[in-house]
Amino acid sequence: MYYNEEFETLPRPALEALQLKRLRSMLERVYANVPFYRDSLNTAGITPDKIKSLDDLQRLPFTTKQNMRDSYPYGLFAAPMEEIVRIHASSGTTGKPTVVGYTHKDIEIWSELMARSFVSAGAHKGDIIHNAYGYGLFTGGLGAHYGAEKLGASVIPISGGNTKRQIMIMQDFGSTVLTCTPSYSLFMAEEAKAEGVDFKKLKLRVGIFGAEPWSEAMRCEIEEKLGLTAIDIYGLSEIMGPGVAIECIEAKRGLHIWEDHFIPEIINPETGQRVAEGERGELVITTITKQGIPLVRYRTRDITSITYEPCICGRTHARITRMSGRSDDMLIIRGVNVFPSQIESILVGIEGVEPHYLLVVDRNENLDTLEVQVEVNELLFSDEVKVLQRLAKRIEKEIKDMLGVTCSAKLVEPKTIQRSEGKARRVIDNRKL
Ligand code: DLL
């Protein structure tokens, strides 16, 4: 099932021809309208007319989050303010947010790409979409909302928070699709259980989860606890919002990135050079149809790999693998690179352990230390101390064996690690203080 069969299944030569055409016209537009790009292209000694092939994209300079911050709030906009109909922003960890603007056409395209994403996840007209992504400056709520309406589904704009009420509404309104962060979905399941509601008896068929890294093991856990098919959706506000890439329900192997609107590249974050197909690296995206704030070779900091192999669903758009995290979230602990999602995979695979965890990194006499705080289930928590000690040892050993890092596992009482209604906080790195 497709939303826009023609474009979703465009043969690659036609898709690439379209990309080149759109790339060139986008470059002409930013060169004419955005001083930052005119300067950076001039410095690189390249003008839009010199771009003759998709390979030439590599000759263009990257754009970074810092560039966006430096031109706060509207400096990178390529359309006049009279044409901007919506403004979003991402919160970021420090200082000012990153601001993005959309023209009518941008909103139309975003809605279509979200509608495509819904269909790719197995949703359709007639579905009741319970949209628990936050509404506001965050792109999750409104992005999914407009896509759901475009699709012709019924959308419940519940936003995040007030979990008990969410559960009542899902039950009473007969929601069939759930959209929220993966961590919030688990929180909902937990609350439902406490309320005596069996999540599996709800009408939910599909969950479309994203906005934060999660692991394959977490997917199994969610599918098990919520009784639905869990689909991974990716996006970032700088590029558009949710719906830049999504898994297809047919394969659930990699996220199709909508290549008629975005050109993806995977680079080595150190050298900036492209890596081979299938190799991990940082995702760089060039938007080729955006009007409000087009971005040339934007460094997402997200780590993934790409494949152009055909997919059983028939879509011809390349697939990126599940994000292992952001390069700036990668922890280097005594020289070993560790992504929180790797630890998550290990924890979720251990019986008695709940998928709620926090990694606390510190530096003690020049040595990095990692404490893995993880909740155990009620049953186990009331067990003998010896049993708990054995479990802690097992977690420490598995993490050491699989990732090569020494840690101490701290088992904590059920429901003590802070829950999130949006993006979960998984790491506290005290070394930076
Ligand atoms: O999180 C947009 C979004 C909303 C995506 C709803 C999916 C669903 P930002 O707040 O700008 O936008 O954060 C973007 O979140 O660079 C990734 O690091 C991370 N991220 C988003 N989706 C995924 C995912 C929205 N599926 C940042 N897996 C991105 C891993 C993700 N990380």
Side-chain angles (χ1 to χ4, degrees), residues 133 138-139 211-213 232-233 235-237 242 302 323 326 423:
Y133 283 118
F138 176 56
T139 52
E212 65 185 8
D232 192 4
I233 184 166
L236 61 168
S237 47
D302 292 318
M323 304 285 146
R326 297 174 60 79
K423 300 181 192 243

Side-chain angles (χ1 to χ4, degrees), residues 183-203:
S183 54
Y184 191 43
S185 80
L186 281 171
F187 182 25
M188 283 189 185
E190 197 174 64
E191 283 280 310
K193 201 169 161 203
E195 296 280 298
V197 174
D198 184 356
F199 227 97
K200 290 189 181 155
K201 292 218 175 99
L202 299 182
K203 288 208 182 127

